[in-house]
Amino acid sequence: MRKFLVVLDDTRECLNAMRFAAMRAARTGGGVEILSVIPPDEFNHWIGVGEVMRAEARERIEAHFNVFAKWMRDRQGIDPELVIREGEPVDEILAQVHDDPEVGVLVLGAGTGKGGPGPLVSALTKSAGSLPMPMTIVPGELSKEQLDQIT
């Protein structure tokens, strides 16, 4: 089974990427792997505070994941898996892509604001030629109906 790897973050465009990955996986017999990256801890010298912040970040990620996972199970029949990594987001996404041979497509959501598609899309498109699989960039302004039509 090939998996669609989708990034869970605090951006609005993440929602369309999640929908696309789940809908595409359901229609092709694939799976969904949801990756969330906890950025490097800025409070390394405050070990106790850093651990509390890390635990809170994991709880927040798991709460967001549970919302998406319920929708995927209920609406698409897909039971996603969650992967949490710590480090620089682009580095960790690339590492996950290379570490999991079952990942067949990287799915990213593109921002719709004046700032362009977003830092992840901008950085990862530069690495697209060295990825071992295709990358799908889902526009943030696509409607649910448009997503349904293209998946």
Side-chain angles (χ1 to χ4, degrees), residues 35-39 58 83-87 92-93 95-96 99:
L35 172 65
S36 190
V37 179
I38 300 172
R58 286 183 176 276
V83 175
I84 300 174
R85 296 180 75 119
E86 294 183 31
E92 295 305 320
I93 292 166
Q96 185 64 27
D99 289 351

Side-chain angles (χ1 to χ4, degrees), residues 22-144:
M23 294 165 86
R24 198 70 196 119
R27 289 182 171 106
T28 62
V32 174
E33 183 173 274
I34 298 175
L35 172 65
S36 190
V37 179
I38 300 172
D41 192 7
E42 297 177 11
F43 302 99
N44 286 333
H45 59 285
W46 297 67
I47 294 172
V49 172
E51 288 302 318
V52 169
M53 291 175 69
R54 184 175 287 114
E56 288 174 351
R58 286 183 176 276
E59 287 176 18
R60 187 185 81 250
I61 289 166
E62 289 170 2
H64 285 128
F65 168 78
N66 287 333
V67 170
F68 287 116
K70 181 177 181 350
W71 178 84
M72 288 182 187
R73 282 190 295 273
D74 293 351
R75 298 283 176 99
Q76 303 299 325
I78 296 292
D79 192 20
E81 62 183 275
L82 174 64
V83 175
I84 300 174
R85 296 180 75 119
E86 294 183 31
E88 293 297 330
V90 171
D91 295 339
E92 295 305 320
I93 292 166
L94 292 172
Q96 185 64 27
V97 160
H98 291 289
D99 289 351
D100 188 344
E102 291 183 359
V103 171
V105 178
L106 173 60
V107 180
L108 300 173
T112 59
K114 295 178 184 175
L120 286 181
V121 172
S122 297
L124 288 166
T125 53
K126 293 176 184 172
S127 303
S130 64
L131 292 175
M133 85 277 301
M135 177 171 44
T136 300
I137 300 172
V138 182
E141 289 190 0
L142 289 180
S143 68
K144 293 176 187 176

